[in-house]
Short mmCIF file of all heavy atoms in Angstrom, two decimals:
data_model
loop_
_atom_site.label_atom_id
_atom_site.label_comp_id
_atom_site.label_asym_id
_atom_site.label_seq_id
_atom_site.Cartn_x
_atom_site.Cartn_y
_atom_site.Cartn_z
N PRO A 1 0.83 -1.21 0.00
CA PRO A 1 0.00 0.00 0.00
C PRO A 1 0.87 1.25 0.00
O PRO A 1 1.67 1.47 0.90
CB PRO A 1 -0.79 -0.12 1.31
CG PRO A 1 -0.70 -1.55 1.70
CD PRO A 1 0.63 -2.03 1.21
N GLU A 2 0.74 2.06 -1.03
CA GLU A 2 1.49 3.30 -1.08
C GLU A 2 0.70 4.33 -1.90
O GLU A 2 -0.11 3.98 -2.77
CB GLU A 2 2.87 3.11 -1.69
CG GLU A 2 2.88 2.59 -3.12
CD GLU A 2 4.28 2.38 -3.66
OE1 GLU A 2 5.07 1.70 -2.99
OE2 GLU A 2 4.57 2.91 -4.76
N ILE A 3 0.94 5.60 -1.59
CA ILE A 3 0.29 6.68 -2.30
C ILE A 3 1.31 7.77 -2.60
O ILE A 3 2.06 8.20 -1.70
CB ILE A 3 -0.90 7.26 -1.49
CG1 ILE A 3 -1.59 8.39 -2.28
CG2 ILE A 3 -0.48 7.74 -0.12
CD1 ILE A 3 -2.90 8.86 -1.67
N PHE A 4 1.41 8.17 -3.85
CA PHE A 4 2.32 9.21 -4.29
C PHE A 4 3.76 8.90 -3.86
O PHE A 4 4.51 9.78 -3.44
CB PHE A 4 1.91 10.57 -3.76
CG PHE A 4 0.50 10.97 -4.12
CD1 PHE A 4 -0.21 11.83 -3.31
CD2 PHE A 4 -0.13 10.45 -5.25
CE1 PHE A 4 -1.51 12.20 -3.64
CE2 PHE A 4 -1.42 10.81 -5.58
CZ PHE A 4 -2.12 11.69 -4.77
N GLY A 5 4.15 7.61 -3.93
CA GLY A 5 5.51 7.23 -3.61
C GLY A 5 5.80 7.07 -2.14
O GLY A 5 6.97 6.93 -1.75
N LYS A 6 4.79 7.07 -1.28
CA LYS A 6 4.97 6.94 0.15
C LYS A 6 4.19 5.71 0.65
O LYS A 6 2.99 5.58 0.37
CB LYS A 6 4.49 8.20 0.89
CG LYS A 6 5.13 9.48 0.41
CD LYS A 6 6.63 9.50 0.65
CE LYS A 6 7.27 10.76 0.11
NZ LYS A 6 6.93 11.94 0.90
N LYS A 7 4.84 4.85 1.39
CA LYS A 7 4.20 3.63 1.89
C LYS A 7 3.25 3.94 3.04
O LYS A 7 3.57 4.71 3.94
CB LYS A 7 5.26 2.63 2.35
CG LYS A 7 6.10 2.05 1.22
CD LYS A 7 7.08 1.01 1.73
CE LYS A 7 7.90 0.42 0.58
NZ LYS A 7 8.88 -0.61 1.05
N ILE A 8 2.08 3.30 2.99
CA ILE A 8 1.10 3.39 4.07
C ILE A 8 1.37 2.25 5.05
O ILE A 8 1.27 1.08 4.68
CB ILE A 8 -0.34 3.30 3.54
CG1 ILE A 8 -0.59 4.32 2.44
CG2 ILE A 8 -1.33 3.47 4.69
CD1 ILE A 8 -0.48 5.74 2.88
N GLU A 9 1.71 2.60 6.28
CA GLU A 9 2.05 1.58 7.27
C GLU A 9 1.09 1.63 8.45
O GLU A 9 0.09 2.37 8.43
CB GLU A 9 3.50 1.77 7.72
CG GLU A 9 4.48 1.58 6.57
CD GLU A 9 5.92 1.84 6.95
OE1 GLU A 9 6.21 2.94 7.47
OE2 GLU A 9 6.77 0.95 6.74
N ALA A 10 1.39 0.87 9.47
CA ALA A 10 0.45 0.68 10.58
C ALA A 10 0.08 1.99 11.27
O ALA A 10 -1.07 2.22 11.61
CB ALA A 10 1.06 -0.30 11.59
N LYS A 11 1.06 2.86 11.49
CA LYS A 11 0.80 4.10 12.21
C LYS A 11 -0.23 4.96 11.49
O LYS A 11 -1.17 5.49 12.09
CB LYS A 11 2.09 4.87 12.41
CG LYS A 11 1.92 6.12 13.29
CD LYS A 11 3.25 6.83 13.51
CE LYS A 11 4.18 5.98 14.37
NZ LYS A 11 5.43 6.72 14.70
N GLU A 12 -0.07 5.10 10.16
CA GLU A 12 -1.00 5.91 9.37
C GLU A 12 -2.40 5.28 9.37
O GLU A 12 -3.41 5.98 9.45
CB GLU A 12 -0.52 6.07 7.93
CG GLU A 12 0.74 6.89 7.77
CD GLU A 12 2.01 6.10 8.06
OE1 GLU A 12 2.02 4.89 7.77
OE2 GLU A 12 2.98 6.69 8.60
N MET A 13 -2.44 3.94 9.30
CA MET A 13 -3.73 3.26 9.27
C MET A 13 -4.46 3.40 10.60
O MET A 13 -5.69 3.57 10.64
CB MET A 13 -3.54 1.77 8.95
CG MET A 13 -3.42 1.48 7.47
SD MET A 13 -4.87 2.04 6.54
CE MET A 13 -6.17 1.08 7.32
N LYS A 14 -3.73 3.35 11.69
CA LYS A 14 -4.38 3.49 13.01
C LYS A 14 -5.01 4.88 13.15
O LYS A 14 -6.13 5.02 13.65
CB LYS A 14 -3.35 3.25 14.12
CG LYS A 14 -2.92 1.81 14.26
CD LYS A 14 -1.84 1.65 15.33
CE LYS A 14 -1.39 0.20 15.44
NZ LYS A 14 -0.29 0.03 16.44
N ILE A 15 -4.27 5.89 12.71
CA ILE A 15 -4.81 7.26 12.79
C ILE A 15 -6.03 7.39 11.90
O ILE A 15 -7.06 7.95 12.31
CB ILE A 15 -3.74 8.29 12.38
CG1 ILE A 15 -2.56 8.26 13.35
CG2 ILE A 15 -4.34 9.69 12.33
CD1 ILE A 15 -1.39 9.13 12.91
N ALA A 16 -5.95 6.85 10.69
CA ALA A 16 -7.08 6.94 9.75
C ALA A 16 -8.31 6.25 10.30
O ALA A 16 -9.44 6.76 10.20
CB ALA A 16 -6.68 6.33 8.40
N MET A 17 -8.13 5.08 10.91
CA MET A 17 -9.28 4.34 11.45
C MET A 17 -9.89 5.07 12.65
O MET A 17 -11.12 5.11 12.81
CB MET A 17 -8.86 2.93 11.86
CG MET A 17 -8.69 1.98 10.69
SD MET A 17 -10.15 1.87 9.64
CE MET A 17 -11.44 1.47 10.80
N MET A 18 -9.06 5.66 13.50
CA MET A 18 -9.58 6.39 14.65
C MET A 18 -10.42 7.59 14.19
O MET A 18 -11.48 7.87 14.75
CB MET A 18 -8.43 6.84 15.56
CG MET A 18 -7.83 5.71 16.38
SD MET A 18 -6.68 6.31 17.66
CE MET A 18 -5.31 6.89 16.64
N ILE A 19 -9.93 8.30 13.17
CA ILE A 19 -10.67 9.47 12.67
C ILE A 19 -11.96 9.02 12.00
O ILE A 19 -13.01 9.66 12.13
CB ILE A 19 -9.80 10.28 11.69
CG1 ILE A 19 -8.56 10.82 12.42
CG2 ILE A 19 -10.60 11.41 11.08
CD1 ILE A 19 -8.87 11.66 13.62
N THR A 20 -11.90 7.90 11.26
CA THR A 20 -13.10 7.38 10.59
C THR A 20 -14.19 7.00 11.60
O THR A 20 -15.38 7.28 11.39
CB THR A 20 -12.75 6.15 9.74
OG1 THR A 20 -11.75 6.52 8.78
CG2 THR A 20 -13.96 5.62 9.00
N LEU A 21 -13.80 6.38 12.70
CA LEU A 21 -14.76 5.93 13.70
C LEU A 21 -15.20 7.03 14.65
O LEU A 21 -16.25 6.92 15.29
CB LEU A 21 -14.15 4.77 14.51
CG LEU A 21 -13.84 3.50 13.72
CD1 LEU A 21 -13.15 2.47 14.61
CD2 LEU A 21 -15.11 2.91 13.12
N LEU A 22 -14.41 8.11 14.74
CA LEU A 22 -14.76 9.21 15.63
C LEU A 22 -16.08 9.84 15.26
O LEU A 22 -16.91 10.15 16.13
CB LEU A 22 -13.65 10.26 15.62
CG LEU A 22 -13.96 11.56 16.39
CD1 LEU A 22 -13.95 11.30 17.90
CD2 LEU A 22 -12.97 12.66 16.02
N HIS A 23 -16.30 10.06 13.97
CA HIS A 23 -17.50 10.76 13.50
C HIS A 23 -18.79 10.03 13.91
O HIS A 23 -19.66 10.64 14.55
CB HIS A 23 -17.41 10.95 11.98
CG HIS A 23 -18.48 11.80 11.40
ND1 HIS A 23 -18.70 13.11 11.79
CD2 HIS A 23 -19.41 11.54 10.44
CE1 HIS A 23 -19.70 13.60 11.09
NE2 HIS A 23 -20.15 12.67 10.27
N PRO A 24 -18.94 8.75 13.57
CA PRO A 24 -20.17 8.06 14.03
C PRO A 24 -20.24 7.93 15.56
O PRO A 24 -21.34 7.94 16.12
CB PRO A 24 -20.08 6.68 13.36
CG PRO A 24 -18.67 6.51 12.95
CD PRO A 24 -18.16 7.89 12.68
N PHE A 25 -19.08 7.82 16.21
CA PHE A 25 -19.08 7.73 17.67
C PHE A 25 -19.71 8.98 18.29
O PHE A 25 -20.58 8.88 19.17
CB PHE A 25 -17.65 7.55 18.17
CG PHE A 25 -17.51 7.54 19.68
CD1 PHE A 25 -17.75 6.38 20.39
CD2 PHE A 25 -17.18 8.69 20.37
CE1 PHE A 25 -17.64 6.36 21.78
CE2 PHE A 25 -17.06 8.69 21.75
CZ PHE A 25 -17.31 7.53 22.46
N LEU A 26 -19.31 10.16 17.84
CA LEU A 26 -19.84 11.40 18.39
C LEU A 26 -21.34 11.53 18.13
O LEU A 26 -22.11 11.94 19.01
CB LEU A 26 -19.10 12.60 17.79
CG LEU A 26 -17.63 12.76 18.17
CD1 LEU A 26 -17.00 13.91 17.39
CD2 LEU A 26 -17.46 12.99 19.66
N ILE A 27 -21.76 11.17 16.93
CA ILE A 27 -23.17 11.30 16.56
C ILE A 27 -24.04 10.33 17.34
O ILE A 27 -25.06 10.72 17.94
CB ILE A 27 -23.35 11.09 15.04
CG1 ILE A 27 -22.65 12.20 14.27
CG2 ILE A 27 -24.83 11.02 14.67
CD1 ILE A 27 -22.59 11.96 12.77
N LEU A 28 -23.67 9.07 17.34
CA LEU A 28 -24.53 8.04 17.92
C LEU A 28 -24.53 8.09 19.44
O LEU A 28 -25.57 7.91 20.08
CB LEU A 28 -24.08 6.66 17.42
CG LEU A 28 -24.17 6.47 15.90
CD1 LEU A 28 -23.65 5.10 15.51
CD2 LEU A 28 -25.60 6.66 15.40
N VAL A 29 -23.36 8.34 20.04
CA VAL A 29 -23.30 8.45 21.49
C VAL A 29 -24.08 9.69 21.96
O VAL A 29 -24.81 9.64 22.94
CB VAL A 29 -21.84 8.50 21.98
CG1 VAL A 29 -21.78 8.85 23.47
CG2 VAL A 29 -21.16 7.16 21.75
N GLY A 30 -23.92 10.79 21.24
CA GLY A 30 -24.65 12.00 21.60
C GLY A 30 -26.15 11.80 21.52
O GLY A 30 -26.90 12.20 22.43
N THR A 31 -26.62 11.17 20.45
CA THR A 31 -28.05 10.91 20.28
C THR A 31 -28.57 9.95 21.35
O THR A 31 -29.66 10.13 21.89
CB THR A 31 -28.35 10.36 18.88
OG1 THR A 31 -27.80 11.24 17.90
CG2 THR A 31 -29.84 10.21 18.65
N ALA A 32 -27.79 8.92 21.64
CA ALA A 32 -28.18 7.96 22.68
C ALA A 32 -28.28 8.65 24.04
O ALA A 32 -29.20 8.37 24.83
CB ALA A 32 -27.17 6.82 22.74
N LEU A 33 -27.35 9.56 24.30
CA LEU A 33 -27.38 10.31 25.56
C LEU A 33 -28.65 11.16 25.64
O LEU A 33 -29.31 11.21 26.69
CB LEU A 33 -26.14 11.20 25.65
CG LEU A 33 -25.98 12.03 26.93
CD1 LEU A 33 -25.79 11.12 28.14
CD2 LEU A 33 -24.78 12.98 26.80
N ALA A 34 -29.00 11.82 24.53
CA ALA A 34 -30.21 12.65 24.52
C ALA A 34 -31.46 11.80 24.71
O ALA A 34 -32.38 12.17 25.46
CB ALA A 34 -30.29 13.42 23.20
N ALA A 35 -31.50 10.64 24.05
CA ALA A 35 -32.66 9.76 24.18
C ALA A 35 -32.73 9.13 25.57
O ALA A 35 -33.82 8.79 26.06
CB ALA A 35 -32.61 8.67 23.11
N GLY A 36 -31.57 8.98 26.21
CA GLY A 36 -31.53 8.33 27.52
C GLY A 36 -31.80 9.27 28.68
O GLY A 36 -31.91 8.82 29.83
N ILE A 37 -31.91 10.58 28.41
CA ILE A 37 -32.22 11.55 29.47
C ILE A 37 -33.49 12.32 29.08
O ILE A 37 -33.43 13.49 28.69
CB ILE A 37 -31.04 12.54 29.69
CG1 ILE A 37 -29.72 11.78 29.82
CG2 ILE A 37 -31.28 13.38 30.94
CD1 ILE A 37 -28.52 12.69 29.98
N PRO A 38 -34.63 11.66 29.09
CA PRO A 38 -35.87 12.29 28.62
C PRO A 38 -36.23 13.55 29.38
O PRO A 38 -36.86 14.46 28.84
CB PRO A 38 -36.93 11.20 28.79
CG PRO A 38 -36.34 10.26 29.81
CD PRO A 38 -34.87 10.29 29.58
N SER A 39 -35.84 13.64 30.65
CA SER A 39 -36.16 14.84 31.43
C SER A 39 -35.51 16.09 30.86
O SER A 39 -35.98 17.20 31.07
CB SER A 39 -35.73 14.64 32.89
OG SER A 39 -34.32 14.42 32.96
N GLU A 40 -34.39 15.91 30.13
CA GLU A 40 -33.67 17.04 29.56
C GLU A 40 -34.05 17.32 28.11
O GLU A 40 -33.81 18.41 27.61
CB GLU A 40 -32.15 16.78 29.61
CG GLU A 40 -31.58 16.68 31.02
CD GLU A 40 -31.53 18.05 31.70
OE1 GLU A 40 -31.61 19.06 31.00
OE2 GLU A 40 -31.42 18.07 32.93
N THR A 41 -34.65 16.34 27.43
CA THR A 41 -34.82 16.47 25.99
C THR A 41 -36.25 16.43 25.48
O THR A 41 -36.57 17.11 24.51
CB THR A 41 -34.03 15.35 25.27
OG1 THR A 41 -34.48 14.07 25.75
CG2 THR A 41 -32.54 15.47 25.53
N LEU A 42 -37.13 15.65 26.11
CA LEU A 42 -38.47 15.48 25.55
C LEU A 42 -39.23 16.80 25.46
O LEU A 42 -39.97 17.04 24.51
CB LEU A 42 -39.28 14.47 26.38
CG LEU A 42 -38.86 13.00 26.26
CD1 LEU A 42 -39.81 12.12 27.05
CD2 LEU A 42 -38.83 12.57 24.79
N SER A 43 -39.06 17.66 26.43
CA SER A 43 -39.78 18.93 26.42
C SER A 43 -39.26 19.88 25.35
O SER A 43 -39.91 20.88 25.02
CB SER A 43 -39.65 19.61 27.80
OG SER A 43 -38.29 19.89 28.09
N THR A 44 -38.08 19.58 24.79
CA THR A 44 -37.51 20.46 23.76
C THR A 44 -37.91 20.04 22.35
O THR A 44 -37.62 20.75 21.39
CB THR A 44 -35.98 20.48 23.85
OG1 THR A 44 -35.47 19.17 23.54
CG2 THR A 44 -35.51 20.87 25.24
N LEU A 45 -38.54 18.88 22.20
CA LEU A 45 -38.91 18.37 20.88
C LEU A 45 -40.24 18.95 20.45
O LEU A 45 -41.18 19.05 21.22
CB LEU A 45 -38.99 16.84 20.90
CG LEU A 45 -37.72 16.08 21.27
CD1 LEU A 45 -38.00 14.58 21.27
CD2 LEU A 45 -36.59 16.39 20.29
N ASN A 46 -40.33 19.29 19.17
CA ASN A 46 -41.58 19.80 18.61
C ASN A 46 -42.43 18.66 18.08
O ASN A 46 -43.62 18.83 17.82
CB ASN A 46 -41.28 20.79 17.47
CG ASN A 46 -42.52 21.55 17.05
OD1 ASN A 46 -43.28 22.03 17.88
ND2 ASN A 46 -42.71 21.67 15.75
#
C-alpha cells in the first residue's frame, strides 16, 4: 500500500481508522445520551 511514492504503514492506518470511527461515535453516542435523558430532551422536541 502506497500513495504518491509513500508507503502506508500501521501508524497511518491506526490514525485513519480512529478518525473514521470518531464521527459516528460522536453522533450516535450523543443521540443515545439525549434519548436516555428524557427529562432534559423530551420537552424540547416539537
Side-chain angles (χ1 to χ4, degrees):
E2 61 181 52
I3 181 171
F4 304 153
K6 305 297 178 71
K7 292 183 179 180
I8 306 296
E9 297 177 305
K11 186 178 292 186
E12 293 81 33
M13 277 302 299
K14 288 177 181 177
I15 296 173
M17 283 306 305
M18 285 190 290
I19 298 303
T20 302
L21 296 176
L22 173 71
H23 187 58
F25 176 83
L26 292 174
I27 294 171
L28 299 178
V29 170
T31 306
L33 182 65
I37 311 177
S39 60
E40 295 288 342
T41 57
L42 289 184
S43 61
T44 65
L45 300 178
N46 192 45

